[in-house]
Amino acid sequence: MLLYRASLPLSRRTLTYATGVVRRHRQALGSKGRCLPPSMQALMTLVYLRKGETYAELGAGFGVSTTTAWRYVNETVDLLAARAPKLGSALARAVKAGLPYLVLDGTLISIDRVAADRPYYSGKHRRHGMNLQVIAAPDGTLLWVSGPLRGSVHDLTAARIWGVIRALAASGLLVLADKAYQGAGAYILTPYKGRDKPEPLKDANRAHAKLRGPGERANAQLKSWRILRKLRCCPHRAGRLAKAIHTLQLRETASH
């Protein structure tokens, strides 16, 4: 096997944070004699999330077995995911910040499944995947990401399952969403449906799309981490991975 040096487009601050999370976890466990120091375990996890490399590739690059790479990465992902913002606290911070509105959107994390696995198939996206619900600020800053549901679950149903509709109503915040959320409530604004709409309704839809567009960049932020472009692991890990990435993305944003 050939080895080479490579760069990772992340800040030193993000690595330092992840290293601290791993180090404190090891200290709490009284863990000693591991194959890699906390900094290398953290770096391995960042490589996995950002570049989507396999465990075999990670093991070769960091000089450990594939099994050890799997164990280290999953341990770190779980630690980071546990630190992702919870729905209630994310909305409370949005209220405190005085955000004029929020953007609610669903995204599909593609998975490796065959046609027989119909529960994972999204008719909207025409591929197999896991449904994640995302709440973003008007500028596209990611505020909250849900756990995973099978791709066949409708966005409005998914939002109700995770308690998003109820929490948003209680917060009093105005929310913009696409047509999939029609019927969610008067405080969630969606585009007008139907063809041959009168011009005022078309203008309203254009204004709605213009305001919602930047907020939908949150999904692009998540998928800039290549592991979420197509999962090769258990589909139900999608939520943990997304939450871990959200935790790291907050550090990346703060470093700019």
Side-chain angles (χ1 to χ4, degrees):
M1 179 174 291
L2 300 177
L3 302 178
Y4 67 98
R5 298 182 67 180
S7 63
L8 195 62
L10 295 172
S11 68
R12 175 64 60 176
R13 178 174 183 157
T14 299
L15 176 59
T16 300
Y17 172 80
T19 300
V21 170
V22 174
R23 182 180 293 112
R24 290 189 294 272
H25 177 68
R26 290 189 183 186
Q27 290 172 347
L29 294 178
S31 180
K32 297 179 181 179
R34 293 216 183 183
C35 299
L36 294 177
S39 60
M40 288 295 99
Q41 179 174 340
L43 181 59
M44 176 188 289
T45 305
L46 295 182
V47 172
Y48 173 78
L49 294 173
R50 191 70 178 189
K51 302 185 74 174
E53 292 190 356
T54 66
Y55 295 119
E57 290 169 334
L58 290 173
F62 285 84
V64 297
S65 69
T66 300
T67 301
T68 298
W70 175 87
R71 186 172 67 251
Y72 280 8
V73 166
N74 280 277
E75 179 183 56
T76 312
V77 165
D78 288 345
L79 292 171
L80 293 171
R83 288 161 172 76
K86 307 299 187 289
L87 179 58
S89 60
L91 295 181
R93 282 194 291 271
V95 171
K96 185 176 180 179
L99 296 181
Y101 62 91
L102 302 179
V103 177
L104 172 63
D105 194 20
T107 188
L108 190 81
I109 305 301
S110 296
I111 61 174
D112 188 12
R113 282 294 183 269
V114 297
D117 295 315
R118 299 301 296 177
Y120 294 96
Y121 187 77
S122 168
K124 175 182 177 181
H125 299 277
R126 297 184 180 180
R127 62 181 186 271
H128 297 84
M130 300 299 285
N131 179 301
L132 298 180
Q133 296 295 298
V134 175
I135 296 176
D139 64 355
T141 300
L142 183 62
L143 301 180
W144 177 80
V145 60
S146 75
L149 293 171
R150 293 177 176 181
S152 58
V153 178
H154 191 274
D155 279 337
L156 179 55
T157 301
R160 285 174 171 155
I161 289 173
W162 295 117
V164 177
I165 304 301
R166 182 172 59 254
L168 288 172
S171 73
L173 291 164
L174 185 66
V175 183
L176 303 184
D178 62 26
K179 295 177 182 178
Y181 296 91
Q182 286 194 336
Y187 50 88
I188 296 184
L189 303 182
T190 60
Y192 293 100
K193 276 187 174 182
R195 298 180 179 179
D196 301 322
K197 291 183 290 291
E199 200 59 34
L201 296 189
K202 292 181 180 179
D203 290 340
N205 280 1
R206 283 191 283 267
H208 185 279
K210 185 176 181 179
L211 290 172
R212 194 179 78 244
E216 292 184 339
R217 294 174 189 162
N219 291 337
Q221 291 177 26
L222 281 176
K223 293 179 182 178
S224 69
W225 299 71
R226 293 181 186 173
I227 192 63
L228 291 185
R229 294 183 185 177
K230 188 167 186 177
L231 292 186
R232 295 185 296 269
C233 61
C234 171
H236 296 281
R237 294 287 295 172
R240 287 277 184 179
L241 293 167
K243 288 178 182 294
I245 288 170
H246 185 192
T247 299
L248 296 171
Q249 190 67 37
L250 289 173
R251 270 70 204 173
E252 279 296 293
T253 302
S255 67
H256 293 157

